[in-house]
Amino acid sequence: MQQTFSPKIEANLFTTRLGKIFSNLSIMSLIFCSFSIFSFILLAFGLLLWFLIILLSVGTVFITVPNYTNYITSFTEIMVPVSMFFAENFLVFAIISIASSVISLVMLSMDKYHRHTARVVISSLVIIATIILIIVLLIGGKQ
């Protein structure tokens, strides 16, 4: 038995579903924004780990692993383009994150039948976190 709803209820369900989708999109965009910082940290950590292995093994790693330097250069060859992609597209991801959070807040607040407190709080926190990331990158870029 199929249940039918009035057009108002269906429109409300549709806007609520879109609000949840935009909320998820804003979270994903925030993650991509944070990759612009964390990918460089991961690259630096990988190079530090490579150097630490050389120091701790007192250079014997070059004898035991014949292509040791090739492993680290392949790691950097992969990570540098990934880091540059996220750094170049940071503002695109930040704009998508803030815009989708605002759209999500508007759509979820229009729901007259349910309160979406958790989603509203998450969307608000995504806006705040994205603004903090923008400020951090702007301050870091001026040094």
Side-chain angles (χ1 to χ4, degrees), residues 27-134:
I27 293 168
M28 202 62 204
S29 297
L30 176 65
I31 290 170
F32 287 156
C33 283
S34 63
F35 280 171
S36 65
I37 295 173
F38 295 126
S39 62
F40 285 109
I41 293 172
L42 180 65
L43 179 63
F45 180 72
L47 292 174
L48 178 68
L49 184 64
W50 175 70
F51 186 69
L52 191 63
I53 289 172
I54 292 173
L55 284 177
L56 291 177
S57 70
V58 193
T60 58
V61 72
F62 293 113
I63 297 171
T64 58
V65 181
N67 293 327
Y68 184 70
T69 55
N70 290 340
Y71 292 132
I72 193 61
T73 56
S74 65
F75 172 73
T76 56
E77 287 174 0
I78 293 170
M79 283 304 296
V80 167
V82 170
S83 298
M84 292 306 295
F85 169 77
F86 285 117
E88 290 170 356
N89 296 314
F90 170 77
L91 284 178
V92 173
F93 292 129
I95 289 169
I96 291 172
S97 177
I98 291 174
S100 58
S101 290
V102 169
I103 292 170
S104 172
L105 284 172
V106 170
M107 288 187 167
L108 290 176
S109 66
M110 289 178 9
D111 189 4
K112 299 173 186 169
Y113 302 107
H114 297 94
R115 293 190 179 208
H116 303 279
T117 309
R119 291 275 182 175
V120 169
V121 169
I122 288 173
S123 292
S124 302
L125 290 175
V126 165
I127 292 172
I128 293 169
T130 305
I131 291 172
I132 289 171
L133 278 175
I134 291 171

